[in-house]
Amino acid sequence: QVQLVQSGGGLVQPGGSLKLSCTASGFAFNTYGMNWVRQAAGKGIEWVSSIESHGANTAYANSVKGGFTISRDNLKNTLYLQMNSLKVEDTAPYYCARLDPGWVPVGWGQGTQVFVSS
């Protein structure tokens, strides 16, 4: 069974930083690309970032380019999202997810809340 357990999140002021973690089990983590998504209040699901199975390639939504960095440690089966220069509009619950071809959600974390407020 695919299991993704998240940690991190919290409350920061605009311009601050947070780092999210997502530890995987139940599948061959190092053979799958991984993703971070979020859903701000009143809005739909927004894809944030993706990383190839061995970390060679990464991609980001335009809204977070320059501030967010996705990474992974396959030895630890862990995915990370370093969030710098946070903005109020980044406030949302964040989810790590394995999305198979066609963006099919196979597994997702329990979510971790990020609050950015002055």
Side-chain angles (χ1 to χ4, degrees):
Q1 182 179 2
V2 173
Q3 186 173 11
L4 301 169
V5 180
Q6 298 179 223
S7 62
L11 173 65
V12 296
Q13 294 184 339
S17 298
L18 287 171
K19 188 173 185 178
L20 308 182
S21 298
C22 171
T23 299
S25 61
F27 67 102
F29 179 75
N30 67 349
T31 68
Y32 289 92
M34 293 294 295
N35 307 268
W36 290 98
V37 300
R38 66 187 182 186
Q39 186 171 20
K43 299 182 179 180
I45 294 288
E46 180 186 14
W47 170 80
V48 173
S49 184
S50 296
I51 186 167
E52 181 266 341
S53 60
H54 290 83
N57 297 312
T58 60
Y60 301 90
N62 288 336
S63 59
V64 304
K65 286 181 179 178
F68 289 18
T69 303
I70 189 171
S71 63
R72 64 193 298 160
D73 184 339
N74 285 347
L75 187 61
K76 297 180 178 179
N77 281 3
T78 301
L79 175 73
Y80 303 98
L81 185 67
Q82 177 67 52
M83 302 181 292
N84 297 330
S85 301
L86 282 161
K87 299 169 288 186
V88 171
E89 52 263 43
D90 293 319
T91 295
Y94 284 70
Y95 302 87
C96 59
R98 174 182 146 189
L99 304 175
D100 280 5
W103 302 98
V104 176
V106 176
W108 51 91
Q110 81 276 19
T112 183
Q113 182 68 51
V114 172
F115 291 99
V116 185
S117 177
S118 60

